Amino acid sequence: MSTKDTDFAIEGHGDISVGVQGAGASGDGSASATRITPGNALRPEDIALEISRGQVKPSEDVAEFALRIGDDGLILAQRLGHWISRAPELEEDIALGNIALDQLGHARSFLTYAGAAWGKSEDDLAYFRREHEFRSAHLFEQPNGDFAVTIARQFIVSFYQFELYTKLMESTDATLAAISAKAVKEVDYHRDHSAQWVLRLAGGTDESRARIIQGFKLVWPYVDELFEDDELTTRLAEAGVAVQPSSLRAEFDRLTGEIMAEAELEIPGVPQSLGGGRKGKHSEFLGYILAEMQVLAREHPGASW
Amino acid sequence: MSPHGNPEAPASAASEINREAPKVAATTEEHQESPWSLWEVFVRSSRGLSHVHAGSLHAPDAAMALRNARDLYTRRNEGVSIWVVPAEAISSSDPDSKGSFFESPQGKDYRHATYYTKSEGVKHL
């Protein structure tokens, strides 16, 4: 897998919350037994810095594409965050919270980059757009249901995202490639987490098995939408910026099929939803998510903490 | 202390593991609560150092224990390697018998290298 040399000008990496020294205190093997290192991965702040310096600016097409991916992560993070304090066990609270934070991190980077096309910040996009301006696919806004429904949803999401980010690492757009290179490792872990739980729920008790079967029934109608091509993806695929979502389907089917077979689960024979999320047509669920997510920022515009 | 914060049952005292369900009771009648077992977590912070006890957690099996350990104890780049051990596999010394267990070395200075004077002609000590 070759990643483009993105040559990010990374300045001081001190994460003040852990009190490390500035530049130089990165996760580069200079770690001691006691020092906690923030690492030196690409952050949304780095992208914002490049934008402010005029080093990167996405085309309208690239911005629209980044918006789609960013919105997927943002809405899913909001859904997953709801599990904190509600998961079956404390450990799973943290696991789902971690996945939510990963997704939110990816969303922040993609939205920061997308916003550069229109002079908007990540916060402008997250908090001050209306429902029909969101470009997430319907799967991401589906309700959490019980733990099994959330796992079934996460299973589909993470296997889809892994294929997407793997391909985007080869993008001719250096920023999309860099964000994807960071995201793909995290999503790889999400795949593992959800697959482990699919296997355990399916092979656990009668009740856990019934619940994961029901969970897949509820979320499977939203699979096809993830792999739909349209004019935008066609243009971007021709330019080498992105791939057609449909080209990810075979590998998605193969890998999810392996886990489903091991878990002795059938792919649910359910009709597919109409979709429309990429055009801003959403189910009734998104409005409630946005109301909760946006209320504080709209109540106190420009506030920071 | 275990992440569930039960100071009455030190995580390393295998004989005193709290076998009660750590969280809220079952919500449905037919739901049978079988609490996840306790695992001790050891994290190696970087190459060349030892694995150090980081804490404990609950998990249904070893594979999930490793993943939970990754989520709970390496959130801030603390580690390059993790061990998880079933808490019941650990035998620990009895804290109440500290006296007889650890008294012997007290006062035996000659067991330390610093007790001895350097012989003449020995270099690089």
Side-chain angles (χ1 to χ4, degrees):
Chain A
M1 200 83 63
S2 70
T3 52
K4 304 256 177 312
D5 181 10
T6 48
D7 191 28
F8 278 105
I10 308 258
E11 300 211 323
H13 250 43
D15 175 348
I16 48 174
S17 65
V18 292
V20 295
Q21 302 295 310
S26 55
D28 57 359
S30 64
S32 74
T34 50
R35 193 174 68 209
I36 291 169
T37 54
N40 53 6
L42 173 71
R43 303 166 308 159
E45 290 81 0
D46 303 321
I47 299 169
L49 189 69
E50 290 203 307
I51 291 166
S52 68
R53 290 175 178 164
Q55 289 167 307
V56 296
K57 188 176 176 183
S59 68
E60 190 73 25
D61 272 0
V62 169
E64 179 69 20
F65 182 70
L67 194 63
R68 293 180 181 188
I69 312 175
D71 282 350
D72 286 350
L74 179 64
I75 298 305
L76 183 65
Q78 196 68 13
R79 276 288 188 226
L80 287 172
H82 189 79
W83 274 105
I84 294 173
S85 83
R86 296 182 175 88
E89 294 279 344
L90 179 68
E91 286 77 3
E92 205 51 39
D93 260 23
I94 310 250
L96 292 170
N98 265 341
I99 293 172
L101 282 173
D102 287 347
Q103 292 284 340
L104 191 61
H106 310 160
R108 287 187 58 206
S109 291
F110 284 119
L111 292 181
T112 298
Y113 187 44
W118 312 300
K120 289 185 182 299
S121 70
E122 51 176 310
D123 284 1
D124 295 337
L125 292 176
Y127 298 129
F128 295 97
R129 273 182 303 154
R130 294 160 65 190
E131 185 183 313
H132 68 270
E133 295 172 299
F134 276 79
R135 295 287 177 262
S136 48
H138 284 213
L139 177 63
F140 300 88
E141 66 203 47
Q142 293 308 302
N144 286 336
D146 62 11
F147 182 67
V149 175
T150 287
I151 290 298
R153 184 186 63 199
Q154 194 58 44
F155 179 77
I156 296 167
V157 166
S158 54
F159 276 79
Y160 156 71
Q161 286 181 329
F162 184 82
E163 296 309 318
L164 176 68
Y165 293 148
T166 300
K167 289 288 189 302
L168 283 181
M169 283 163 65
E170 320 252 353
S171 170
T172 52
D173 184 291
T175 308
L176 286 184
I179 301 170
S180 300
K182 161 72 172 152
V184 76
K185 294 178 217 152
E186 296 175 356
V187 168
D188 194 17
Y189 185 80
H190 305 173
R191 285 198 311 175
D192 173 77
H193 173 268
S194 56
Q196 294 291 336
W197 273 116
V198 165
L199 291 169
R200 280 164 179 74
L201 292 169
T205 62
D206 287 347
E207 184 180 353
S208 73
R209 184 169 173 82
R211 284 181 182 235
I212 191 68
I213 289 171
Q214 176 64 12
F216 274 120
K217 261 191 202 145
L218 289 172
V219 296
W220 207 267
Y222 307 99
V223 172
D224 280 11
E225 187 192 3
L226 301 173
F227 301 98
E228 275 169 15
D229 305 338
D230 61 10
E231 288 157 19
L232 176 71
T233 59
T234 305
R235 286 198 302 272
L236 291 173
E238 280 165 6
V241 171
V243 291
Q244 290 282 36
S246 60
S247 70
L248 308 171
R249 186 65 191 256
E251 195 63 359
F252 170 89
D253 283 345
R254 187 179 70 81
L255 292 171
T256 53
E258 280 177 9
I259 305 288
M260 297 289 270
E262 193 180 337
E264 296 177 352
L265 295 172
E266 306 266 319
I267 304 286
V270 286
Q272 289 297 305
S273 79
L274 290 172
R278 304 301 187 205
K279 295 189 178 69
K281 295 186 183 125
H282 292 281
S283 62
E284 68 272 28
F285 304 121
L286 185 65
Y288 293 100
I289 298 175
L290 297 184
E292 189 169 55
M293 185 176 84
Q294 295 180 335
V295 63
L296 190 69
R298 291 183 179 227
E299 200 66 33
H300 305 281
S304 61
W305 54 86
Chain B
M1 200 169 87
S2 86
H4 292 298
N6 185 350
E8 299 306 307
S12 55
S15 58
E16 297 175 357
I17 291 171
N18 180 2
R19 286 282 167 216
E20 297 297 314
K23 292 194 78 171
V24 288
T27 47
T28 54
E29 308 259 323
E30 69 276 10
H31 181 73
Q32 292 181 341
E33 189 73 47
S34 60
W36 291 356
S37 56
L38 189 66
W39 300 75
E40 298 300 329
V41 180
F42 300 83
V43 176
R44 163 181 276 169
S45 56
S46 66
R47 283 189 57 218
L49 295 171
S50 307
H51 285 75
V52 174
H53 184 241
S56 58
L57 52 79
H58 290 87
D61 54 51
M64 294 311 285
L66 266 178
R67 286 160 178 81
N68 289 345
R70 174 262 191 198
D71 284 343
L72 284 160
Y73 295 110
T74 66
R75 289 171 54 77
R76 300 179 187 87
N77 287 359
E78 290 97 332
V80 295
S81 164
I82 301 173
W83 289 343
V84 289
V85 181
E88 56 210 359
I90 295 176
S91 308
S92 64
S93 59
D94 178 2
D96 295 334
S97 61
K98 228 179 353 190
S100 56
F101 228 73
F102 300 113
E103 178 58 35
S104 173
Q106 300 281 336
K108 296 186 173 61
D109 296 356
Y110 53 85
R111 292 187 179 179
H112 292 269
T114 49
Y115 174 82
Y116 300 94
T117 49
K118 197 173 77 170
S119 306
E120 272 181 51
V122 177
K123 293 192 177 66
H124 311 305
L125 258 184

